[in-house]
Amino acid sequence: MALTLLSHKVSDLCIGKPPLCCLSVVTATVSDAIAALKSSDEPFLTVWSCNHDEKTEDNDKCECLGKICMADVICYLAKFDNNVLSLSSAFDESVSVLLPKSRSLVVHVQSSCNLIEAIDLIIKGAQNLIVPIQTKSITKRRQQQKLLTRNVVVSLTNTTSTTHKNSRQFCWITQEDIIRFLLDSISVFSPLPSLSISDLGVINSTHTILAIDYYSSAASAVSTISRAILDNVSVAVVDKGCDQEDPCMALIGEISPMTLACCDETAVAAVATLSAGDLMSYIDGSGPPESLVGVVRNRLEDKGMVGLISLIDSLSLSSGSSSDEESPAGRTRMTSSYGRSVSSAARMARKSVAIVCNRKSSLMAVMIQAIAHRVSYVWVIDEDGCLIGMVTFVDILKLFREFLDGEN
């Protein structure tokens, strides 16, 4: 059974995968990236080193440099001075400023790459594996050529494309894809699935550093949120209590990059003015509470953050002109532009409630829990609700990899 499992190729996981939407690092700006993200049903877009507008026969050098989401945009804008000129210039910068410094988060592989090699790449730090979409028939090639022509028009208006030179397209494999695939053959790993995560030693305590106190300013968590994006996890929002001798950090909730990815760029105003606890409420669900919207506006004005005020007003004005929705006081509602259209899968992740388990939870239960909530980790708490650590997909893959090595 183990040999059969290992014989699978990554192409087996690519069936039905849509082609990736791509931005060119040569031509796209931060403003282009924001527009593309808002028009996309998916939370992430990929950035490539090839320029699709150039007439060249060589597309072998087309390389995916990384992926971006709205959380990257929000963290980027949060680092700028809050004057109109400075913030305005931030939108004109190359999309490359949104990319993480580590390119190992996305790795190119051939469709013939076997499953065990893919697992090894994930364990080494890859979040996504870029795989060429295979086309064999003449009919498919003709269809892709028509798609290329159509995408050239799209790329001129929306700055994104799904087709590269010579009609090539790519999809990607995620950590979740591999875990789902292994779940279909979970009996191969018996008795691991039935054992507790504590007995298996799979609880990871190193990520507990990605935590912020409930009452701390959200602005102080920007670098931590950026780190969470790199680690494919979230920032725990905790209550450290008043007892200095008690190391317990009660888990209240989380600030998830996937939750921020469902917002638009105006969420940076909430990051700049609210506490971590209030930010959880602001970005949770379908929209921010009216009370917090007013708090954000008042604090922006009190602090003289004219850049963010201008940003909010410009977006609210454009949104208000289309919806003609006004508050009782006659002011265009700030909430009208505080969200973006994303897929139902992404909306499932737009919650600030932390997904938790305990030491005695079985590995199988934790895997199903994570997949059901479309997250790559589950927080581990004790009987008092204190944060112990987390179990990530990478931790689980390491465990399975060691088990397979022992079988051979």
Side-chain angles (χ1 to χ4, degrees):
M1 286 289 290
L3 291 176
T4 302
L5 181 64
L6 296 179
S7 66
H8 284 284
K9 309 296 183 182
V10 294
S11 56
D12 297 331
L13 282 69
C14 294
I15 299 174
K17 283 275 188 178
L20 292 171
C21 287
C22 312
L23 284 168
S24 170
V25 73
V26 178
T27 59
T29 64
V30 172
S31 181
D32 293 329
I34 293 172
L37 285 166
K38 286 182 176 180
S39 63
S40 174
D41 288 334
E42 299 300 325
F44 289 98
L45 291 176
T46 52
V47 180
W48 294 69
S49 62
C50 48
N51 186 347
H52 298 164
D53 293 331
E54 291 182 354
K55 296 180 178 179
T56 173
E57 296 298 325
D58 182 15
N59 86 319
D60 291 334
K61 294 182 180 179
C62 276
E63 178 188 7
C64 180
L65 302 179
K67 61 179 182 177
I68 58 171
C69 66
M70 195 60 77
D72 294 299
V73 174
I74 293 169
C75 289
Y76 165 72
L77 295 177
K79 299 175 183 178
F80 272 77
D81 294 333
N82 289 298
N83 61 73
V84 177
L85 184 61
S86 176
L87 197 57
S88 177
S89 65
F91 292 91
D92 297 326
E93 293 290 333
S94 167
V95 69
S96 61
V97 300
L98 301 178
L99 291 171
K101 295 181 180 179
S102 172
R103 289 191 182 183
S104 61
L105 296 182
V106 292
V107 177
H108 281 262
V109 298
Q110 295 301 317
S111 56
S112 59
C113 173
N114 62 47
L115 183 60
I116 199 67
E117 291 173 335
I119 292 175
D120 287 341
L121 289 171
I122 295 293
I123 291 174
K124 290 178 181 178
Q127 290 184 12
N128 302 84
L129 304 180
I130 308 296
V131 186
I133 295 177
Q134 298 298 299
T135 54
K136 298 181 179 179
S137 67
I138 296 177
T139 302
K140 288 184 178 180
R141 287 199 295 270
R142 287 176 178 173
Q143 289 174 346
Q144 284 195 337
Q145 188 60 44
K146 292 180 181 179
L147 182 62
L148 173 61
T149 303
R150 184 162 66 250
N151 280 332
V152 167
V153 178
V154 173
S155 66
L156 291 176
T157 55
N158 294 339
T159 71
T160 61
S161 174
T162 60
T163 306
H164 296 259
K165 294 295 191 280
N166 301 326
S167 302
R168 295 187 70 186
Q169 293 181 314
F170 296 85
C171 65
W172 67 17
I173 302 298
T174 66
Q175 297 176 3
E176 181 183 339
D177 292 329
I178 295 179
I179 290 292
R180 283 181 178 272
F181 190 81
L182 295 179
L183 198 58
D184 291 336
S185 305
I186 197 65
S187 60
V188 172
F189 302 99
S190 182
L192 299 185
S194 62
L195 299 179
S196 73
I197 55 175
S198 178
D199 291 340
L200 291 170
V202 76
I203 301 175
N204 192 329
S205 60
T206 60
H207 286 299
T208 53
I209 59 171
L210 297 184
I212 183 171
D213 188 78
Y214 182 90
Y215 300 101
S216 297
S217 68
S220 66
V222 170
S223 60
T224 310
I225 295 171
S226 296
R227 170 68 186 277
I229 297 173
L230 293 177
D231 291 349
N232 203 23
V233 294
S234 294
V235 178
V237 178
V238 300
D239 183 2
K240 297 181 180 179
C242 301
D243 189 352
Q244 299 296 327
E245 297 182 358
D246 185 2
C248 172
M249 294 192 299
L251 181 63
I252 307 299
E254 67 178 17
I255 299 174
S256 167
M258 281 300 294
T259 306
L260 283 172
C262 297
C263 302
D264 68 12
E265 67 271 33
T266 56
V268 69
V271 173
T273 56
L274 297 178
S275 67
D278 285 340
L279 180 63
M280 282 197 309
S281 300
Y282 188 92
I283 64 179
D284 189 41
S286 59
E290 288 292 333
S291 58
L292 284 180
V293 172
V295 169
V296 170
R297 181 76 189 204
N298 291 336
R299 290 180 181 176
L300 289 175
E301 294 174 349
D302 291 343
K303 294 181 179 182
M305 295 182 169
V306 292
L308 291 178
I309 293 174
S310 176
L311 173 63
I312 290 173
D313 286 346
S314 62
L315 289 177
S316 295
L317 193 60
S318 61
S319 178
S321 62
S322 61
S323 62
D324 198 31
E325 180 181 48
E326 294 188 353
S327 67
R331 179 186 293 174
T332 302
R333 286 165 55 96
M334 291 174 61
T335 56
S336 60
S337 64
Y338 269 54
R340 49 176 290 256
S341 175
V342 291
S343 67
S344 58
R347 283 195 297 270
M348 287 179 65
R350 191 176 180 180
K351 294 292 181 183
S352 296
V353 177
I355 309 304
V356 300
C357 66
N358 58 61
R359 292 187 183 98
K360 296 181 180 179
S361 297
S362 69
L363 180 64
M364 182 73 167
V366 171
M367 291 175 64
I368 293 175
Q369 195 175 6
I371 288 175
H373 289 89
R374 304 304 305 271
V375 294
S376 62
Y377 59 90
V378 175
W379 298 104
V380 185
I381 59 175
D382 64 14
E383 296 78 5
D384 297 321
C386 294
L387 181 62
I388 298 173
M390 62 180 7
V391 178
T392 69
F393 281 161
V394 174
D395 298 321
I396 295 173
L397 290 174
K398 286 179 181 178
L399 183 67
F400 286 165
R401 186 67 172 90
E402 292 171 1
F403 179 85
L404 293 174
D405 284 341
E407 289 289 294
N408 295 334

